[in-house]
Amino acid sequence: MSPPQTATLRPYLNAVKATLQAALCLENFSSQVVERHNKPEVEVRSSKELLLQPVVISRNDKEKVLIEGSINSVRVSIAVKQADEIEKILCHKFMRFMMMRAENFFILRRKPVEGYDINVQTQAGGLRHPLHGGDRQGDQRDETVR
Amino acid sequence: MSKNTVSDRFRKVDVDEYDENKFVDEDDGGENQAGPDDAEVDALLRQGNMNAALQAVLKNPPINTKNQSAKERAELLVVKVLSSFKSSDIEKAVGSLDQAAVDLLMKYIYRGFESPNDNSSAVLLQWHEKALAVGGVGSIVRVLTARKTI
C-alpha cells in the first residue's frame, strides 16, 4: 500500500532544497579553453575536472529533478507530473510560453533537457547580481576593488 | 607550393591530448570489489536483524569496478534493505552508522532515486531526510564531488 501522494511532497521539496544548497556553491571561473571568455561549464562541458556528478531526486517515476553542477554554473531540470493527455498539452504550452521569454527570466534555458520539461540554469555572477542577472566581465573588477 | 610543405598530417594531430596538465581520472584496480554479499544480507533480513543487514549491505561498495551489473545488483540490494525498515526505525539505524557509512548511504540513496519503482522513492525520501540530519549538507557535497560513483 503506497502512502498518499501528499505525504511525499514535503520530503521531496526538502531533499531538493538540501541538494541545491550543496550544489549552488559557485565561483567565477573563466574558460580554460579560450582566453578572456567566461562560459557556463555545465553547458560547455569542456573539462571533466570542472563538473560535478549529476544527481536525481525523484518523487515517483513521473516527477523528478535532475541537478547538474559545475564550478561556475548549475543546471536544474524539472520533470513535472502530467497525468493525462490534456495535462501534457497544457504543460507543454505553458513551458513553451515561459521558455520563449527566457531572456526576461535570465535563469531559464530556452530548451529543456531531454526527458524533462523545464530547465533553470544559473551562473556564479548571476547569483551575486540578481537584478542584473548573469555574469558580467565587471565582476573581476569588483573583486580587486573590494 | 614548394616541395617541403607537401605533408599536412600535423594539422590533424589533437594537441590537447598531449597536454601535460590535462586532467585524467585515476584508475585504481579495485576488481575485487564485488559489492555487498547477497546471501549474507538476505539471511540477516529474514532473521529480522535490520541494523546488521544495513551494516552488511554497506560493505564492499562497488566503487572502483567498471562492471555495471555489479553496481546495479548492489543498488537493488540496498533499496531492498532500505524498504524493509519501519519508518520509526530509520532514525536509529542511521544513528548507528559512522561518517563514512552515512556518506555511502547518501550515495546509494541518490543512486536509488535514478530508478524509481513503486514505492521506492517515498522510502528513499524518508531515508534522505534522516541521513541529512546526521550527515548534514556536507554528505551531499561529498556525493556531488566524488569522482568514482557506486
Side-chain angles (χ1 to χ4, degrees):
Chain A
M1 198 196 74
S2 54
Q5 265 294 67
T6 45
T8 49
L9 181 61
R10 266 294 113 206
Y12 175 57
L13 297 179
N14 287 337
V16 172
K17 179 176 178 180
T19 318
L20 274 179
Q21 218 177 349
L24 277 170
C25 233
L26 309 177
E27 63 179 279
N28 195 6
F29 193 84
S30 312
S31 170
Q32 293 178 303
V33 177
V34 185
E35 60 183 73
R36 293 170 134 240
H37 276 210
N38 204 311
K39 305 176 202 250
E41 293 300 329
V42 78
E43 289 285 345
V44 178
R45 309 194 92 87
S46 52
S47 318
K48 269 189 306 188
E49 72 269 24
L50 303 175
L51 303 174
L52 296 181
Q53 298 291 348
V55 132
V56 175
I57 300 118
S58 59
R59 187 183 177 190
N60 47 53
D61 57 339
K62 292 281 182 328
E63 283 181 78
K64 51 190 159 128
V65 170
L66 168 70
I67 298 179
E68 300 162 285
S70 68
I71 187 164
N72 64 357
S73 44
V74 166
R75 183 164 70 191
V76 179
S77 316
I78 305 172
V80 168
K81 182 171 78 153
Q82 295 150 56
D84 54 4
E85 277 304 320
I86 188 79
E87 272 190 29
K88 268 206 195 62
I89 297 173
L90 283 173
C91 177
H92 182 241
K93 291 239 174 272
F94 182 47
M95 296 306 170
R96 215 176 75 102
F97 175 86
M98 295 210 286
M99 286 191 279
M100 275 209 295
R101 291 150 182 83
E103 259 166 44
N104 296 65
F105 279 111
F106 293 120
I107 57 170
L108 231 50
R109 196 169 181 261
R110 280 193 177 276
K111 278 248 171 296
V113 166
E114 193 63 54
Y116 294 85
D117 296 310
I118 193 160
N119 274 107
V120 172
Q121 181 190 309
T122 184
Q123 254 184 285
L127 290 176
R128 248 193 315 146
H129 303 280
L131 284 182
H132 304 289
D135 197 62
R136 303 179 302 159
Q137 279 306 109
D139 286 351
Q140 290 171 337
R141 184 167 48 86
D142 290 348
E143 276 166 19
T144 51
V145 164
R146 226 172 279 125
Chain B
M1 296 241 289
S2 50
K3 259 208 173 114
N4 62 354
T5 60
V6 147
S7 168
D8 64 352
R9 262 199 343 232
F10 68 91
R11 294 189 188 279
K12 298 194 174 60
V13 172
D14 181 9
V15 184
D16 288 328
E17 287 293 311
Y18 300 107
D19 183 12
E20 293 149 353
N21 299 328
K22 188 175 159 83
F23 179 81
V24 276
D25 271 320
E26 6 163 297
D27 249 341
D28 3 339
E31 298 307 328
N32 51 354
Q33 290 179 336
D37 191 6
D38 287 331
E40 186 189 342
V41 175
D42 280 334
L44 286 167
L45 275 180
R46 261 177 278 121
Q47 282 172 13
N49 192 347
M50 310 305 293
N51 282 352
L54 182 64
Q55 305 271 4
V57 88
L58 288 177
K59 278 203 294 233
N60 278 347
I63 287 186
N64 285 331
T65 55
K66 302 249 178 50
N67 190 356
Q68 279 308 323
S69 58
K71 297 189 185 222
E72 277 168 35
R73 217 169 20 89
E75 185 220 323
L76 286 172
L77 200 56
V78 173
V79 174
K80 195 165 76 157
V81 171
L82 296 186
S83 311
S84 41
F85 268 78
K86 278 205 294 284
S87 310
S88 39
D89 294 335
I90 296 181
E91 195 167 346
K92 224 168 11 106
V94 177
S96 69
L97 299 173
D98 64 345
Q99 179 70 58
V102 171
D103 287 346
L104 188 56
L105 177 64
M106 264 299 194
K107 278 199 189 151
Y108 274 120
I109 291 175
Y110 279 111
R111 184 72 205 266
F113 275 136
E114 286 172 29
S115 25
N117 53 358
D118 292 340
N119 209 12
S120 67
S121 293
V123 165
L124 288 171
L125 281 170
Q126 284 182 313
W127 275 92
H128 185 279
E129 190 184 335
K130 298 290 184 288
L132 180 63
V134 173
V137 178
S139 58
I140 305 184
V141 176
R142 281 185 283 274
V143 171
L144 293 173
T145 51
R147 290 238 60 95
K148 299 182 174 53
T149 57
I150 45 134

